[in-house]
Structure formats: structure tokens, C-alpha cells
Amino acid sequence: MSDKPSVLFVCVHNAGRSQMAAGWLRHLAGDTVEVRSAGSAPAGTVNPAVVEAMAEVGIDITDQTPKLLEYATAESSDVIVTMGCGDACPVFPGKRYEDWKLEDPAGKGVDAVRPIRDEIRTRVENLLTELRPTA
């Protein structure tokens, strides 16, 4: 891992869980971590309930768009966090993988997205502590 680790968050549509995780990590880590997110079958836009739930905690993800998971992005990431992308996630020897079992916010309103958002924050905080133990 380099001085500035890279973390890739992956879910199917890159419109909910992975976008919230990336938003939290950018917010909490600043420029100390390279943050990436992608999906195995990206949606056209980020889930509006996810955008609203993140805005409630002061994180603006309106400028994010779902991206297709590319082999090179995964290969060059230090940590890959999957959230339900199944067999579409490539596996590279020597990479650190985490699979976060989280409810999918697709089709849910903001009231249902808030607990998912909060669980993701806790997991991102724990990950950040492991990436920057002396920070």
C-alpha cells in the first residue's frame, strides 16, 4: 500500500451503497485516501433517496454518477469493498477484500435509507482507522 491508499467501493448499480460509502470516506479522510466507486451494472443516476440522506448529514453527492467497474481500477486499488456485486467483482491475489452485507437502498424512501447510511458510516470509520492507525 502506498502512502495514499486507494479504496474501491463496488455494488451492482453504483447508485446507493457504494456511493454512500465513497461519500463518507471522502468526507472523513479528506485527501489522505484515494476514493473510488463503481458498479457491475451501473444505473443511470444515483438514487435520489441516497442523495437526500447524505445531504442530511452535510455530504453532497449530487455530482457523482454511477460508473462501470473496470478491471484496471480494481487491479490498482489497495482495498476493495464489495456490497452485493457477486461474481461480477474481479478477484486479484494480494488485494485486501471486505464484503459488507448491507441492505440495498434501491426502491426505498429516505426513511429506510438513513439506517443504511449510518451503518455505512460506522464501517467507513472502522476502515479508515485501519488504513491510518496513527491518525
Side-chain angles (χ1 to χ4, degrees):
M1 208 176 295
S2 68
D3 290 341
K4 185 174 181 175
S6 60
V7 177
L8 172 62
F9 295 104
V10 184
C11 65
V12 176
H13 300 296
N14 190 221
R17 295 167 288 189
S18 57
Q19 291 288 352
M20 286 191 282
W24 275 120
L25 188 55
R26 278 191 299 274
H27 178 74
L28 296 168
D31 64 358
T32 64
V33 176
E34 183 178 353
V35 181
R36 305 165 172 181
S37 71
S40 54
T45 60
V46 176
N47 179 330
V50 165
V51 172
E52 183 179 344
M54 293 301 283
E56 290 177 351
V57 294
I59 300 173
D60 181 5
I61 61 169
T62 57
D63 63 340
Q64 299 301 307
T65 55
K67 295 169 213 54
L68 180 63
L69 174 62
E70 296 185 5
Y71 184 91
T73 302
E75 184 178 40
S76 64
S77 297
D78 296 309
V79 179
I80 300 172
V81 178
T82 58
M83 303 175 198
C85 64
D87 295 337
C89 291
V91 176
F92 298 95
K95 297 288 177 194
R96 175 179 168 183
Y97 284 89
E98 291 191 19
D99 184 37
W100 293 357
K101 305 279 189 236
L102 296 161
E103 189 175 349
D104 188 348
K108 295 179 173 40
V110 72
D111 288 339
V113 172
R114 286 184 192 111
I116 302 167
R117 173 201 65 200
D118 297 343
E119 173 67 18
I120 290 172
R121 178 187 180 140
T122 299
R123 291 175 187 233
V124 167
E125 288 172 336
N126 292 339
L127 176 62
L128 188 55
T129 298
E130 294 168 11
L131 292 175
R132 301 185 321 187
T134 59

